[in-house]
Every structure is written in structure tokens, then in C-alpha cells.
């Protein structure tokens, strides 16, 4: 009997040791809802190199990501590692959700990223997140639609851009009802993230507006300033007066489908569309730099994804290994090739020189170096963004721009008082 | 009832009571307690008494707009649902293969998860490429904006609610109708009562108890509706579908203002309790049949 028990124990031990999961820690990761096959491909190397870490990657769609993180981070068992939208760093750090990372990264490691990206990872002087990707926005256009309707193609070289006034002019010519049912079949302009401050606030900044007080706690006098109201009125006219943009297309992938399938002549969209538009081979696309208002400044959106480690994690080492891997050269380069996010690391631009010397990428690189305006730093970014998002959505559906911006300023001020 | 009987009754009720306490009463009490806390100017969470309620009543137009939307939604959706389910019950009562097949068909929508229902209807009602507008186009009717119009979105949500719930409440009415003794109908038929007279004078009055339950349960569920709003409209366009539960959710998980969120939930609970009590009182008089 004893011998049998010993044999069973020995076999069990052998099975345990030989399986890769022996003594494995499971790392819970909440990640952006990118296509699973691409994320898996990117993580292949990590899984191979770290058999002692098993990854539980939870992909959450963009529109649910922030609410999901709110609930998960406030719980007693938050995810060990999670994706952080750059400006949310302050909000999570203020509430103690993030582990400070200063002592875990050498200055050499930090110097791999763009200084502005590292700056966006700090809150009150401490490093809380690691940069994963940055971003930029430009005006994509469908060359076939332009040619078919004899409209001159917009400039495609860095720094030469249309004004918004010219864009509206073109959009009105290219909003076309082909079957005569009273509804456009081709829209002049679609905005990829059409109610998100990320893409809309730069309109107001081009008019000279500032998104928030310098200390990040006061919104009255900023989001309801003349510049913001003028930009909001312009936005209102796109949907309600000129009617060159479809209402209610609030999800980026759907906007991309419209544009990719020839249902919109132009799309204000981010840099990842260079790669994404390859899925639509029926049309030839071009990219013109981000428009600006004739009498205004040249301003473009920027900022991107970061990676944070929970302050409550009991698997600090594994979490650090994963965070460093996913923000490291190889993983970021793989992701740039797979999905097309702009890397926040200089070394990736060097090693993927061929990819980034493409004219479209040159446009975005020019913008990131010259015209990019980061989103405001405030511990209340979630509240700020959500309130503005609702306001832009209401304006799109026809609400009065001035009154809406006045109301939202008041609302944001109430929500931000907890950080004053 | 003897002491022993009541002890046994209590024993049978105990499991349900435990669940009720843990999953209903305790969270409700927690939410009332949380509604009395809020952010101090220094950024810490403290006891603030009735400050959240004071804010809602005195300086919160978003809350009042949401109250109006909820009342409008419940006031329109509840009677239509009840009328539709009662109508279906009258049409589909009795035996027979055909009516039992149709009953199943009517009940099916309520067997589908509300999220699935919302997503499917979202696709059908898409203003540019939805099935609904294609059908309207074939009939020569101009395309409608549906969920992307502040004037139509609430009506669309009400339609979806009625479509999904009518079959469910129909089952209660059918059960109620089964309970009416056949002799009553036979006696009235001998007296020469027509079908309409039977329905009006016999079935409806004897359904008073069922009606009372359906009225209260259906109104309550309409007051706390959330999923279709969350999935289809996120309270928009321009707040036209921003019902109280969604406003409360936003307050808690988007604006991180749990005090205000819990104050809204507590007031909703109070409102629903008061309304249910009133409905029960008004319908109780008819139980005496």
C-alpha cells in the first residue's frame, strides 16, 4: 500500500514539474478590446519566455472600458495590470489605484520613450504608468470618390493642410444622395470618435480656446469660452445645417466601416487607420494633415495608451515583468505592425524605418513633433471627458451649442470640486 | 392558526427571507446610508447629512429632467403593456393547438435576454442601414431617425419594452382567466349574455386580483428600467431617454459621485413604494368580488 501511495505521489510530482503551469502565477490583465487574435500574436513571445506566468487577458470594448475599470479598480481584487488611457493616469493615481514605478525603472530604460510620453505618466512628480502608444489624427480621404466627382485632391504632404472652411466646402459637394431617397448615400465627412473630447476639443483649441484652468480644476470660463462655443457651433452645423456628417455614429469601428466602404468621402481619423484601412481594398485612400480654422492655430490631438500596475497586486514581480515586456521594443514594434498604433518609443521608429518613412506616417510624425496638444492634466479627467462627451453628443443631435456648453461647464465644476 | 403552524410557516419562509434580506434589503439600506455621504471640499468622503438630497431638489436640473423622462416612460409604457397583454390573453385563451402555439410565440420575446433584445432592435432601427427604414422605404414612407432623434427615441424604447413584456404579463392574465369557474360563464350564457358582456361583466371584474399584481409589478419594473437605455441610447439624444436608473448609474460609475447616485436610487425606491401602495389601495376595493 505504501509503495502504491509513493508511486502516485512521485507521478503527481513528475506531472506537476513537467507542465509549464508548475508554480505559475496567474496575472490578471484588463486590456483594450483589440482583436483577440492580434493580441495573442503579440503575446506569443512573452508566453514562451515566461512559462512561470500565465496570463488572464480580459479584452474590454472601448465604449465599456472605462466604466469596467472603475468598477474593477474600486473592488478589493482589482486586476494586476491594466491599460490606462494617458490622461486617466492622474485620476487613478489620485485615488491610489496605481503602484508608483520610479524605483523599478532605470533612467536608461526611461530614455527609450519620448520625454512627452513619460511626462504624461507622472502625477505630482511620481511615475505611475508606462507609455505604450501615442497617437495623432489626420484627414483621410477616398481618392476614388474625389476623382469621380471631379474634386481636387487635398494636399498630402506634412505641414500643408486644408482649413476647416475648405473641408466644409468639399464635404458639401461630396455629400451625395445617389438613389434619390432623400438620404445621403455618401457623406462628406465622418469623424472617427465623433463625440470624444480627444478629437473635438482641438477644434476649440484651433480657435484659441483652452480646455481647462491650468491647475485642472475649473472649467467655467474655459469650456464655455467664446472659442469653445464657436467650435461647438461649427460642430453643430456639420450635422444640423450643412448636414455633411451622419448623426449618431458614435462608435469608431462603425465610422471606419462607413469610410472604408465608400459611404463617406473624408474621415477625421487616427493614425491606426493606415493599417486598418488595408481591410478595405476596393478604394484608394489618401491622408491630408489635420485641418485648422482659417484665422486659428494648427492643433492636433495626441496622447495614447499607458500601462499601469495595481497598487494592491500581490504579484508585483510578474506584473512588472509583463508591464516592461508589453511596453518594450519588441512588443511595441509587433503591435505597430499588427494594429498600427503610433509607438511611444524612439527605438521602434528606428528599427521599423521602412514602415515609418511612408508618406502617411510622415504626416503623423510631423504632427506629433509640431502641432500636438495633449489632453488636460486633471485628477477629474474621467468626469471631464464624460460630461463633454455627453455635451458634444447632444449638440450633434441638435441641442443649442452655447447653452449646452454653459451647462456642461457648471456640471464639470461640480464634479471637479472633490479634487480642489 | 396555532403557534406551531406559524412556526412551521416561518420555517418555510426563512430561506426566502434570508435571500430577501441579503440581496434586497441590505443593499437598499446600504444605499440609503451611502446617500448621506459625499465629497467634502477637501476631497475626503464624509457624512454630509441630507446635502445630496438638498442638491437634487434645489439645484440639479439634470435630475428633474430625468424624473420627467422616467414618469413619461412609465406613464406611457405601463398602460400600453397591460392593454396589450390583456388583449392577447383574451384572444389566445382556451385550449387548442393553434392558440397554444401562438401563446408560445407571444411569450418568446420575454425569454430572450434583454441585452440581446436591445442589440437586435438597435440593428433593426439603425437610421441609415436598418431593416425598419428599408421596409418603410418599400412602403413609400420617408426614412425615420428612430433612436437618433430626441423626439422618437423614447417612443422606440417604449415599443421595445411593450414588444418584449406583453407576452410575459399575458401569461398572468391567462392564469387568472383559468381560475374563473366555468359555471359562471354557463349561467350567464343561459341568461343570454354576449361574449362582450361576459368579458366586461365577468372576466374583467374577476381578474381584479391579477390586474392589481400586474399593475404594480409592471409599473415598478418600468420605473427601474436600465438595460435598453444603457445599450441603445446612453440616455440620449439630448437626455430624451435619460431615465432615473441610468442617471444614477452615470453618477456612480462615470462621475464618481456615489452620494448623488445613491440619493437618486433611494428617492426612486421611495417613489415606487408610494406608487405601489397607492395602486394596491385603489385596486383592493375590487378584490371583494
Amino acid at each position: 500500500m505504501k509503495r502504491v501511495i509513493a508511486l502516485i505521489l512521485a507521478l503527481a510530482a513528475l506531472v506537476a514539474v513537467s507542465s509549464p503551469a508548475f508554480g505559475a502565477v496567474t496575472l490578471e490583465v484588463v486590456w483594450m478590446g483589440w482583436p483577440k487574435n492580434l493580441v495573442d500574436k503579440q503575446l506569443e513571445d512573452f508566453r514562451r519566455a515566461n512559462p512561470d506566468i500565465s496570463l488572464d487577458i480580459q479584452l474590454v470594448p472601448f465604449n465599456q472600458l472605462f466604466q469596467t475599470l472603475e468598477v474593477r479598480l474600486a473592488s478589493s481584487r482589482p486586476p494586476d495590470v491594466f491599460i490606462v488611457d494617458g490622461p486617466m493616469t492622474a485620476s487613478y493615481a489620485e485615488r491610489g489605484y496605481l503602484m508608483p514605478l520610479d524605483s523599478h525603472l532605470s533612467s536608461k530604460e526611461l530614455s527609450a520613450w519620448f520625454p512627452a510620453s513619460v511626462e504624461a505618466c507622472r502625477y505630482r512628480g511620481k511615475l505611475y504608468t508606462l507609455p505604450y502608444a501615442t497617437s495623432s489624427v489626420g484627414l483621410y480621404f477616398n481618392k476614388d470618390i474625389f476623382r469621380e466627382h471631379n474634386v481636387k485632391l487635398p494636399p498630402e504632404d506634412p505641414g500643408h493642410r486644408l482649413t476647416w472652411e475648405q473641408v466644409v466646402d468639399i464635404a458639401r459637394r461630396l455629400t451625395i444622395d445617389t438613389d434619390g431617397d432623400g438620404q445621403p448615400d455618401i457623406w462628406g465627412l465622418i469623424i472617427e470618435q465623433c463625440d470624444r473630447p480627444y478629437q473635438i476639443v482641438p477644434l476649440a483649441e484651433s480657435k484659441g480656446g483652452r480646455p481647462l484652468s491650468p491647475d485642472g480644476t475649473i472649467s467655467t470660463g474655459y469650456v464655455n469660452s467664446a472659442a469653445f462655443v464657436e467650435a461647438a457651433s461649427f460642430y453643430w452645423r456639420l450635422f444640423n445645417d450643412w448636414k455633411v456628417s451622419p448623426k449618431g455614429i458614435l462608435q469608431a469601428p462603425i465610422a471606419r466601416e462607413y469610410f472604408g466602404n465608400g459611404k463617406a468621402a473624408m474621415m477625421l481619423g487616427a493614425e491606426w487607420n493606415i493599417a486598418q484601412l488595408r481591410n478595405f481594398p476596393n478604394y484608394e485612400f489618401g491622408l491630408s494633415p489635420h485641418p485648422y480654422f482659417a484665422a486659428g492655430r494648427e492643433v492636433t490631438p495626441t496622447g495614447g495608451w499607458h500601462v499601469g500596475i495595481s497598487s494592491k497586486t500581490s504579484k508585483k514581480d510578474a506584473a512588472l515583468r509583463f508591464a516592461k515586456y508589453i511596453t518594450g521594443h519588441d512588443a511595441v514594434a509587433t503591435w505597430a505592425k499588427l494594429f498600427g498604433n503610433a509607438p511611444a518609443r524612439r527605438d521602434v521608429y528606428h528599427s521599423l524605418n521602412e514602415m515609418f518613412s511612408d508618406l502617411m506616417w510622415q504626416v503623423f510624425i510631423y504632427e506629433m513633433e509640431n502641432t500636438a496638444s495633449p489632453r488636460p492634466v486633471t485628477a477629474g479627467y474621467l468626469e471631464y471627458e464624460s460630461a463633454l462627451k455627453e455635451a458634444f453628443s447632444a449638440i450633434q443631435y441638435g441641442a443649442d451649442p452655447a447653452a449646452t456648453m454653459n451647462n456642461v461647464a457648471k456640471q464639470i465644476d461640480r464634479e471637479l470640486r472633490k479634487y480642489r | 392558526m396555532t403557534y406551531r403552524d406559524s412556526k412551521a410557516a416561518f420555517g418555510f419562509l426563512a430561506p426566502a427571507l434570508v435571500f430577501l434580506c441579503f440581496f434586497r434589503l441590505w443593499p437598499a439600506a446600504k444605499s440609503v446610508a451611502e446617500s448621506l455621504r459625499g465629497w467634502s471640499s477637501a476631497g475626503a468622503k464624509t457624512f454630509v447629512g441630507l446635502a445630496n438630497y438638498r442638491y437634487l431638489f434645489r439645484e440639479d436640473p439634470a435630475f428633474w429632467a430625468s424624473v420627467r423622462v422616467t414618469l413619461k416612460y412609465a406613464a406611457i409604457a405601463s398602460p400600453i403593456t397591460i392593454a396589450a397583454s390583456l388583449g392577447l390573453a383574451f384572444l389566445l385563451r382556451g385550449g387548442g393547438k393553434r392558440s397554444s402555439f401562438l401563446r408560445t410565440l407571444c411569450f418568446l420575446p420575454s425569454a430572450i435576454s434583454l441585452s440581446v433584445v436591445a442589440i437586435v432592435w438597435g440593428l433593426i432601427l439603425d437610421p441609415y442601414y436598418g431593416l425598419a427604414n428599408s421596409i418603410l422605404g418599400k412602403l413609400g414612407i420617408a426614412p425615420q431617425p428612430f433612436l437618433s432623434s430626441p423626439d422618437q427615441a423614447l417612443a422606440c424604447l417604449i415599443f421595445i419594452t411593450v414588444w418584449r413584456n406583453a407576452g410575459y404579463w399575458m401569461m398572468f392574465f391567462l392564469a387568472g382567466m383559468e381560475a374563473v369557474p366555468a359555471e359562471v360563464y354557463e349561467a350567464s350564457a343561459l341568461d343570454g349574455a354576449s361574449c362582450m358582456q361576459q368579458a366586461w361583466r365577468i372576466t374583467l371584474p374577476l381578474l381584479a386580483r391579477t390586474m392589481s399584481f400586474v399593475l404594480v409589478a409592471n409599473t415598478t419594473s418600468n420605473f427601474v428600467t436600465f438595460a435598453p437605455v444603457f445599450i441603445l441610447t446612453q440616455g440620449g439624444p439630448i437626455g430624451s431617454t435619460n431615465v432615473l436608473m441610468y442617471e444614477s448609474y452615470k453618477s456612480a460609475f462615470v462621475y464618481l459621485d456615489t452620494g448623488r447616485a445613491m440619493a437618486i436610487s433611494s428617492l426612486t425606491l421611495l417613489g415606487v413604494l408610494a406608487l405601489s401602495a397607492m395602486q394596491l389601495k385603489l385596486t383592493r376595493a375590487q378584490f371583494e368580488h
Side-chain angles (χ1 to χ4, degrees):
Chain A
M1 185 67 196
K2 262 186 197 165
R3 240 188 244 166
V4 174
I5 293 173
L7 193 68
I8 290 171
L9 282 177
L11 274 176
L14 198 70
V15 169
V17 172
S18 60
S19 91
F22 174 65
V25 284
T26 300
L27 214 51
E28 218 183 309
V29 181
V30 170
W31 206 242
M32 162 69 187
W34 284 305
K36 187 173 182 301
N37 55 338
L38 300 188
V39 175
D40 279 341
K41 213 168 193 180
Q42 186 196 19
L43 296 176
E44 268 169 15
D45 285 344
F46 181 82
R47 290 199 161 105
R48 213 174 299 127
N50 298 277
D52 57 329
I53 299 174
S54 111
L55 292 175
D56 173 11
I57 297 260
Q58 296 159 18
L59 302 174
V60 184
F62 188 43
N63 278 353
Q64 276 90 53
L65 181 64
F66 301 107
Q67 290 94 318
T68 306
L69 277 172
E70 278 312 313
V71 177
R72 295 295 312 275
L73 294 176
S75 73
S76 56
R77 248 202 39 176
D80 303 293
V81 181
F82 51 97
I83 196 146
V84 176
D85 188 18
M88 286 300 293
T89 299
S91 171
Y92 297 148
E94 170 78 27
R95 287 179 282 158
Y97 294 157
L98 289 164
M99 179 175 103
L101 300 168
D102 302 85
S103 56
H104 303 287
L105 279 114
S106 65
S107 53
K108 186 168 171 264
E109 280 175 300
L110 284 175
S111 68
W113 289 291
F114 294 117
S117 294
V118 176
E119 211 31 60
C121 296
R122 292 189 200 279
Y123 180 62
R124 299 203 166 147
K126 275 192 189 167
L127 185 77
Y128 281 101
T129 50
L130 300 179
Y132 177 61
T134 179
S135 68
S136 186
V137 171
L139 186 71
Y140 291 86
F141 57 94
N142 183 321
K143 291 187 178 175
D144 297 312
I145 296 181
F146 272 70
R147 286 190 193 118
E148 195 188 331
H149 297 278
N150 295 321
V151 179
K152 193 180 154 219
L153 297 181
E156 294 183 71
D157 45 329
H160 289 99
R161 60 190 79 236
L162 296 176
T163 61
W164 276 117
E165 291 80 358
Q166 290 170 316
V167 171
V168 168
D169 215 37
I170 299 173
R172 293 177 77 175
R173 289 173 63 189
L174 292 178
T175 299
I176 300 160
D177 176 10
T178 52
D179 60 6
D181 69 348
Q183 189 133 260
D185 300 287
I186 299 173
W187 293 92
L189 172 73
I190 198 158
I191 302 175
E192 188 185 19
Q193 299 184 10
C194 81
D195 59 351
R196 293 209 174 245
Y198 169 73
Q199 285 195 358
I200 308 305
V201 166
L203 296 182
E205 290 181 279
S206 178
K207 291 250 180 211
R210 287 183 174 282
L212 207 57
S213 67
D215 67 351
T217 60
I218 292 167
S219 126
T220 300
Y222 295 89
V223 307
N224 59 346
S225 63
F228 259 83
V229 173
E230 275 174 39
S233 305
F234 173 83
Y235 177 79
W236 181 89
R237 295 186 75 186
L238 286 176
F239 298 93
N240 297 287
D241 180 8
W242 302 312
K243 297 184 179 163
V244 294
S245 300
K247 290 181 188 180
I249 310 298
L250 305 178
Q251 295 192 29
I254 295 179
R256 194 179 305 131
E257 289 285 324
Y258 265 69
F259 180 67
N261 286 311
K263 305 229 175 281
M266 294 180 278
M267 173 173 78
L268 193 69
E271 85 289 351
W272 51 77
N273 290 295
I274 298 178
Q276 299 305 307
L277 288 174
R278 278 189 225 124
N279 299 328
F280 303 93
N282 294 339
Y283 292 101
E284 190 189 343
F285 301 107
L287 173 72
S288 186
H290 195 288
Y292 71 115
F293 284 107
R297 291 195 305 139
E298 300 181 350
V299 185
T300 55
T302 191
W305 297 108
H306 295 199
V307 178
I309 298 177
S310 164
S311 56
K312 288 184 191 159
T313 183
S314 57
K315 303 153 193 164
K316 210 162 101 180
D317 289 335
L320 267 167
R321 250 153 75 194
F322 177 75
K324 284 190 182 186
Y325 168 82
I326 198 84
T327 59
H329 172 274
D330 295 354
V332 170
T334 309
W335 192 244
K337 281 188 277 184
L338 285 174
F339 192 79
N341 279 109
R345 299 177 67 97
R346 297 180 232 241
D347 48 4
V348 178
Y349 287 89
H350 293 305
S351 58
L352 297 182
N353 188 27
E354 202 179 321
M355 172 176 160
F356 291 113
S357 52
D358 169 85
L359 186 62
M360 286 195 182
W361 270 108
Q362 287 299 312
V363 166
F364 286 126
I365 292 170
Y366 175 88
E367 304 290 30
M368 289 190 274
E369 284 170 352
N370 296 287
T371 60
S373 167
R375 288 167 282 179
V377 175
T378 167
Y381 188 75
L382 180 69
E383 296 91 319
Y384 174 83
E385 184 189 44
S386 310
L388 271 187
K389 189 169 168 281
E390 244 182 273
F392 291 142
S393 153
I395 292 171
Q396 180 184 135
Y397 285 121
D400 178 65
T404 309
M405 294 319 280
N406 276 328
N407 286 340
V408 76
K410 261 185 249 158
Q411 187 195 351
I412 295 172
D413 278 344
R414 168 178 155 91
E415 304 304 347
L416 291 186
R417 79 205 147 118
K418 51 185 174 283
Y419 306 111
R420 263 173 228 140
Chain B
M1 194 159 63
T2 65
Y3 173 68
R4 240 180 80 182
D5 284 344
S6 63
K7 219 165 75 173
F10 187 77
F12 283 119
L13 282 176
L17 281 177
V18 168
F19 274 101
L20 191 70
C21 287
F22 265 105
F23 294 108
R24 301 276 182 212
L25 298 179
W26 172 242
K30 280 276 280 190
S31 103
V32 172
E34 191 63 30
S35 72
L36 304 177
R37 282 154 56 82
W39 298 99
S40 73
S41 53
K45 256 190 145 187
T46 47
F47 179 79
V48 293
L50 294 174
N52 285 319
Y53 292 93
R54 214 175 297 129
Y55 177 76
L56 288 183
F57 278 101
R58 289 200 190 148
E59 36 186 332
D60 194 347
F63 168 70
W64 287 106
S66 179
V67 169
R68 278 194 294 275
V69 171
T70 313
L71 286 175
K72 199 166 146 190
Y73 175 80
I76 301 174
S78 303
I80 297 183
T81 311
I82 290 173
S85 50
L86 192 61
L88 284 174
F90 268 116
L91 288 174
L92 304 177
R93 67 182 158 162
K97 266 201 180 135
R98 206 174 59 179
S99 57
S100 74
F101 170 74
L102 289 173
R103 278 203 293 259
T104 314
L105 210 64
C106 290
F107 184 75
L108 269 182
S110 55
I112 312 169
S113 136
L114 196 51
S115 321
V116 177
V117 167
I119 288 167
V120 171
W121 275 104
L123 294 173
I124 295 175
L125 296 176
D126 181 281
Y128 303 114
Y129 299 104
L131 179 69
N133 267 339
S134 312
I135 295 174
L136 288 183
K138 293 265 180 292
L139 299 174
I141 301 169
Q144 298 298 313
F146 297 122
L147 293 165
S148 60
S149 149
D151 303 321
Q152 297 185 1
L154 193 70
C156 291
L157 287 185
I158 291 171
F159 173 79
I160 296 169
T161 307
V162 173
W163 176 84
R164 181 173 186 271
N165 293 343
Y168 179 74
W169 297 118
M170 168 196 79
M171 291 314 231
F172 287 84
F173 285 123
L174 282 172
M177 288 173 180
E178 289 291 310
V180 178
E183 304 89 73
V184 187
Y185 289 116
E186 284 162 17
S188 69
L190 286 178
D191 290 340
S194 69
C195 277
M196 280 304 282
Q197 280 172 325
Q198 282 183 337
W200 193 248
R201 298 280 166 100
I202 300 171
T203 318
L204 272 183
L206 289 179
L207 272 179
R209 211 177 265 272
T210 315
M211 178 69 86
S212 171
F213 168 73
V214 172
L215 192 66
V216 171
N218 178 45
T219 312
T220 309
S221 76
N222 284 334
F223 263 94
V224 297
T225 197
F226 174 77
V229 177
F230 176 72
I231 295 167
L232 289 175
T233 62
Q234 286 92 48
I238 324 185
S240 59
T241 58
N242 190 27
V243 293
L244 280 168
M245 279 302 100
Y246 189 72
E247 181 63 23
S248 169
Y249 156 82
K250 261 196 321 194
S251 203
F253 296 111
V254 179
Y255 297 116
L256 314 178
D257 194 344
T258 33
R260 178 174 177 271
M262 295 308 164
I264 294 175
S265 307
S266 304
L267 285 176
T268 310
L269 179 70
L270 207 71
V272 170
L273 273 178
L275 196 71
S276 306
M278 211 167 72
Q279 286 177 328
L280 281 175
K281 204 174 155 125
L282 284 175
T283 47
R284 174 158 297 163
Q286 300 176 21
F287 285 180
E288 310 313 323
H289 291 285

